[in-house]
Amino acid sequence: MLITRLAVSGYRSLRDVVLDVGQLTLITGANGSGKSSLYRALRLLAETAQGRLVASLAAEGGLSSTLWAGPERFSREMLSGRQAVQGTVRTGPVSLRLGFAGADFGYAVDLGLPDPTHPFQRDPEIKAEAMWTGEMLGRANLFAERRGPLVSLRRADSGEWRHASGELSAFDSMVTHCADPADGLELLLMRERMRNWRFYDNLRTDADAPARRPQVMTYTPVLASDGGDLAAAIATILAIGEREELEETIEDAFPGCQVLVQGGDDHGVVEMRQPGLLRPLHVRELSDGTLRYLLLSAALLSPRPPDIMVLNEPEASLHPSLLAPLARLLVRASARTQIILVSHSERLIQGLRRDGGIEEIRLAKQLGETRAEDADSPRWVWPKR
Ligand SMILES: Nc1ncnc2c1ncn2[C@@H]1O[C@H](COP(=O)(O)OP(=O)(O)OP(=O)(O)O)[C@@H](O)[C@H]1O
Ligand SMILES: [Mg+2]
């Protein structure tokens, strides 16, 4: 399932952003332009399928700190600089909205403030959700809708609408609570696919990094987001996955080197044979950049590719000479999984442009608000409260 459109509204500097994305999409832009915020917004969206959306948002400080801090809208005078930016009388409710759509599914969620009698005023509430088929929400293709505590589902066969039983609490999503093989089959399918979305940000490589410790060896088709199961993930690729691709990618970055996994069931360790050395180097002895490249290889060559993989600045701590191999690795991986990549490394970007078809989105800030440069904002419809 390819996701073709992403939409975020009211989250930090992303006041109102709709983007078209492709098989391999690069998000770039100056410091502070909103790249990491977009990454986090996507992660929040994915957390809906894990039942953690409201808890994660609360952990970021609740709506008061994550909401767009500017005015509800800019007047023409404010945009032209003739008038200072100032708050206006609110016409709509406070709202943070996240959504995605692809050829087969679209989903969006709208969060707002609890009513004033609620004991925990910082806790955001889910006010509305919608799920539809195809790219844009409309009357005809809507098939699951939530308003407040009530969920309505449309039967795929008869097209009839009915209420799902019971009421949802304000912090539960219909994606987790109404997904049911008998009557919420589409929700269930979408939830399972969203649960596979993977996010890699800041894979640790310091001296105490989980990836440098001996690890229990079990079948590991997906690298953990902290890289703590690197040895098992590499052993899995070597045993049942794209062994040759892994070897090629290591050779591409470190000519003449070989990666291996040593040890028994309970203490597997990654080692690397390097030309000129009499013994392989233990994972503890590898440089930060080398280890990071191994982590990225294990993540990207996963034997169970997810629908979508999102990477935030994977180039951090890599020597420039590794950026061309990393670009090739990304292009290779994007044949099997959709990739959204946040990066501001010119060399990596040049490598990607050279090696494959990429969609480039350049973010910039205008009056504190993130906008996509040189791109018309695609159409998007939010669910109604
Ligand atoms: N609630 C908010 N409302 C409006 N803007 C905000 C809010 N919270 C943070 N910002 C701004 O959003 C901007 C985006 O930050 P973000 O971390 O996404 O930038 P970035 O593109 O990842 O930058 P870098 O390259 O430095 O990592 C920052 O300039 C920050 O000041
Ligand atoms: Mg950032």
Side-chain angles (χ1 to χ4, degrees), residues 118-188:
H118 192 277
F120 299 105
Q121 280 296 305
R122 288 165 72 87
D123 288 358
E125 289 191 342
I126 300 180
K127 302 287 187 186
E129 294 178 272
M131 188 184 172
W132 61 92
T133 46
E135 266 199 339
M136 189 136 59
L137 170 60
R139 235 177 226 286
N141 61 356
L142 178 68
F143 62 87
E145 182 181 46
R146 180 243 185 95
R147 288 198 190 171
L150 294 178
V151 177
S152 320
L153 301 167
R154 191 209 296 255
R155 283 229 143 79
D157 44 5
S158 61
E160 236 168 82
W161 281 98
R162 36 167 233 89
H163 284 301
S165 57
E167 298 199 340
L168 283 189
S169 85
F171 41 83
D172 287 331
S173 160
M174 68 174 186
V175 178
T176 41
H177 281 65
C178 300
D180 177 281
D183 10 62
L185 185 60
E186 286 83 3
L187 282 170
L188 181 70

Side-chain angles (χ1 to χ4, degrees), residues 13-166:
S13 60
L14 308 170
R15 188 178 78 93
D16 192 9
V17 171
V18 184
L19 302 170
D20 274 339
V21 293
Q23 188 65 31
L24 173 54
T25 307
L26 167 75
I27 314 266
T28 183
N31 293 128
S33 57
K35 304 182 296 297
S36 299
S37 302
L38 185 63
Y39 173 87
R40 282 154 76 175
L42 292 181
R43 209 174 47 191
L44 280 173
L45 193 53
E47 280 174 344
T48 313
Q50 316 273 5
R52 289 201 307 257
L53 171 63
V54 168
S56 303
L57 207 48
E60 285 192 33
L63 282 184
S64 51
S65 85
T66 48
L67 270 183
W68 158 243
E72 188 183 16
R73 57 179 55 84
F74 290 108
S75 67
R76 202 172 297 158
E77 283 69 30
M78 291 185 212
L79 285 174
S80 65
R82 286 196 297 273
Q83 187 189 72
V85 173
Q86 50 184 279
T88 46
V89 179
R90 213 167 232 297
T91 54
V94 164
S95 150
L96 187 166
R97 294 176 291 189
L98 305 165
F100 71 90
D104 46 2
F105 289 128
Y107 169 75
V109 56
D110 176 359
L111 296 119
L113 296 173
D115 78 66
T117 59
H118 192 277
F120 299 105
Q121 280 296 305
R122 288 165 72 87
D123 288 358
E125 289 191 342
I126 300 180
K127 302 287 187 186
E129 294 178 272
M131 188 184 172
W132 61 92
T133 46
E135 266 199 339
M136 189 136 59
L137 170 60
R139 235 177 226 286
N141 61 356
L142 178 68
F143 62 87
E145 182 181 46
R146 180 243 185 95
R147 288 198 190 171
L150 294 178
V151 177
S152 320
L153 301 167
R154 191 209 296 255
R155 283 229 143 79
D157 44 5
S158 61
E160 236 168 82
W161 281 98
R162 36 167 233 89
H163 284 301
S165 57

